[in-house]
Amino acid sequence: VEASDVEPVVEAGTGAGETGAPGAGADPSDTGREFWAAKSSAASMEALDFVLEILREKVSDVDLVYQKYRIHPRSGQHICRLIRLTPQKSALMIQLTMPETEYWSKRLGREGMNARFLERDGFYRLNATLESTRSHRLLWKELLFHLWDASTGTDDGDASEGPGLGDRLRGLFK
C-alpha cells in the first residue's frame, strides 16, 4: 500500500473525473450519485447507503466522493482510498485494500461472502448484495472501521504520525 492511497480532497462536491482534481475527466455533475444510480440497481445503491450508515457509526461526518470509476468515503479533507465502492447491476462491488491473511480469507469464506484476494493488486474484492451487507453488519463494521483507522493513522492522530500505512494495515489485519 502506497501513501498515494490516502490523499486529501482537491475539490469538494461530487468529485470530478478519476482523481477529483478540477478538469480531470468528466464534469462533476456527470459522476455524481445520479450517474451511479443510472449504471447500477436500486438494491446496489441501497447497499452503498448501508455501508455509509455503518461508517457513520465511526465518523459522523463521513460522506461519499463519487468519481467516474469508483466511490470512496470521505471525512473533511480525508478520502479513504483503502475502501473502494462500485455499485453494479447485480451487487455492490467492494474493494478493501488490506493484506491477505489466513484469518480473513477463512472468515470471509465461512461467512459465505463472495470474496477473493487479488494478489497483484493487494486487495479483497467482494460482491455484496443488500441482503449480505445487512446480514453481516458486524463483519462489515469490523472491516470498515479497521480500514478507516489504518487510513488515518491512529484513532486520534493523522496519517503522518507513527508507522507507515503498510505497517498500520499489517498491524490491524493479523
Side-chain angles (χ1 to χ4, degrees):
V1 179
E2 300 295 323
S4 64
D5 289 332
V6 181
E7 57 188 56
V9 175
V10 176
E11 178 178 291
T14 58
E18 177 65 15
T19 64
D27 178 343
S29 62
D30 292 341
T31 57
R33 185 173 176 87
E34 298 77 25
F35 169 83
W36 285 100
K39 286 180 60 164
S40 64
S41 66
S44 291
M45 294 303 288
E46 271 189 74
L48 176 71
D49 293 338
F50 189 77
V51 167
L52 181 61
E53 177 184 314
I54 291 171
L55 279 168
R56 283 190 175 141
E57 292 177 28
K58 175 101 178 140
V59 184
S60 62
D61 69 338
V62 72
D63 63 355
L64 298 172
V65 176
Y66 295 89
Q67 297 175 326
K68 187 174 181 179
Y69 298 107
R70 64 186 63 92
I71 300 168
H72 296 285
R74 167 185 65 194
S75 174
Q77 292 296 307
H78 173 71
I79 296 176
C80 179
R81 297 194 185 279
L82 302 178
I83 303 169
R84 177 179 174 174
L85 309 164
T86 310
Q88 300 177 331
K89 293 285 184 193
S90 59
L92 173 64
M93 183 174 59
I94 301 175
Q95 293 177 344
L96 305 172
T97 302
M98 57 190 260
E100 180 182 30
T101 65
E102 183 178 350
Y103 171 80
W104 281 105
S105 294
K106 284 183 178 180
R107 184 164 175 203
L108 292 168
R110 188 174 57 245
E111 297 287 339
M113 304 297 286
N114 181 7
R116 64 187 171 122
F117 186 78
L118 301 174
E119 191 170 330
R120 180 187 66 137
D121 299 315
F123 58 74
Y124 282 93
R125 178 177 287 166
L126 300 94
N127 291 319
T129 63
L130 178 58
E131 181 181 305
S132 72
T133 54
R134 287 186 174 155
S135 64
H136 294 93
R137 180 183 184 87
L138 294 177
L139 174 68
W140 287 115
K141 186 175 179 177
E142 185 176 351
L143 280 167
L144 296 170
F145 284 18
H146 277 325
L147 286 167
W148 188 271
D149 286 344
S151 74
T152 59
T154 64
D155 288 331
D156 301 316
D158 65 52
S160 64
E161 298 175 0
L165 181 58
D167 292 335
R168 288 194 304 275
L169 280 169
R170 282 186 287 284
L172 288 169
F173 293 100
K174 290 183 180 179

